[in-house]
Amino acid sequence: MSVIITGAKWTRQMVRQMNTIFLVGPSKRPKTPFVSYRKRFIELAQKEIKECLIFQPEFNPEAGFGDPNADLNEIFSNSQKWELEAMDDSKVVIMALDTDPDNLGLTTRTELGMLVESRKNLIVYAPASSFKMNYQVELCKLKGIPVYDTLEQVIEETKKIILKIPLVTAGRFNSTEIKAENCDPVVLREVIWKEEDNNQKGAIWCFVDQ
């Protein structure tokens, strides 16, 4: 298993050969006791998911995620672009709603609004202790997005999505978002329809020929 910390680079070959997962959710803030779910998820994934590449957007050297001597200005000035590109390269996106009174997850709420309409590869983790997230949880359920209250359940759902086999193997395609240059839109439409039929619950994720 490999873990890519925010700001770090990855290759197209890594994306093609590994099961890519992006971990959305509130991050630890200075002077707060909040503990992110990410470390525990990574521990479980290491045992349960083969050939796993995890995009970890939380820079937290104290927990072993990130170089304490890194240039923080460079990392955080490009963090939004890094996260969007990493999500587009992820076969599964985990959205944690593990908020508490000290960390309301304002960025996470924004990302949920962005992802809930377009992503068919989204899994939501909402533990019973989540603070003021009832609206968001119900919204996800109405949209047919799986919601679980334990990380063990999230891991099992992740494994199910990973088993879905992409139809083609070049370029990028994530849910309703297509990233490919010089492609015939009719061909892309056919790929989407075939992917939907293959997975029987909407297009999940695949590569698109350039």
Side-chain angles (χ1 to χ4, degrees):
M1 184 179 76
S2 298
V3 179
I4 306 291
I5 309 298
T6 184
K9 297 180 180 180
W10 63 95
T11 67
R12 306 307 311 149
Q13 184 177 11
M14 294 168 69
V15 172
R16 291 190 177 106
Q17 293 180 346
M18 304 183 77
N19 294 311
T20 49
I21 302 170
F22 189 94
L23 304 182
V24 183
S27 298
K28 180 175 174 55
R29 305 300 183 197
K31 301 179 181 179
T32 64
F34 179 82
V35 178
S36 166
Y37 79 103
R38 294 183 177 96
K39 185 173 184 179
R40 176 60 178 154
F41 180 91
I42 290 170
E43 290 172 350
L44 290 172
Q46 190 168 20
K47 299 176 183 178
E48 297 286 340
I49 301 174
K50 296 180 180 179
E51 299 298 326
C52 185
L53 172 64
I54 293 180
F55 293 108
Q56 213 293 44
E58 181 179 17
F59 185 82
N60 185 1
E62 292 180 3
F65 300 118
D67 180 357
N69 299 315
D71 185 341
L72 299 184
N73 289 330
E74 180 178 353
I75 289 174
F76 290 112
S77 64
N78 296 300
S79 61
Q80 292 92 342
K81 183 175 184 291
W82 184 92
E83 291 183 12
L84 289 173
E85 290 180 352
M87 287 183 200
D88 281 341
D89 276 343
S90 295
K91 192 168 186 181
V92 182
V93 177
I94 309 298
M95 169 72 68
L97 305 181
D98 56 338
T99 52
D100 67 19
D102 294 315
N103 193 335
L104 299 178
L106 301 182
T107 301
T108 299
R109 294 168 191 261
T110 300
E111 290 171 325
L112 178 62
M114 176 181 70
L115 298 175
V116 72
E117 287 291 345
S118 66
R119 302 290 171 129
K120 298 292 194 299
N121 60 342
L122 183 64
I123 303 171
V124 171
Y125 168 54
S129 59
S130 293
F131 183 72
K132 293 191 175 181
M133 279 292 187
N134 289 340
Y135 176 88
Q136 286 76 12
V137 168
E138 291 305 314
L139 176 65
C140 290
K141 291 178 179 179
L142 286 172
K143 290 292 183 179
I145 295 169
V147 179
Y148 299 104
D149 59 8
T150 72
L151 287 178
E152 288 78 10
Q153 293 170 314
V154 172
I155 287 286
E156 289 304 312
E157 183 67 22
T158 300
K159 289 159 65 176
K160 291 178 184 178
I161 292 181
I162 284 173
L163 288 175
K164 298 181 185 299
I165 301 174
L167 294 177
V168 288
T169 56
R172 284 195 289 178
F173 171 75
N174 196 326
S175 187
T176 59
E177 299 181 10
I178 298 171
K179 296 210 170 183
E181 296 180 359
N182 304 317
C183 283
D184 183 336
V186 175
V187 173
L188 291 176
R189 184 182 63 189
E190 293 294 328
V191 169
I192 293 171
W193 286 346
K194 288 179 181 178
E195 183 72 6
E196 289 177 341
D197 290 340
N198 186 51
N199 290 311
Q200 299 179 347
K201 58 177 293 188
I204 301 296
W205 177 93
C206 69
F207 288 115
V208 176
D209 284 332
Q210 297 286 345

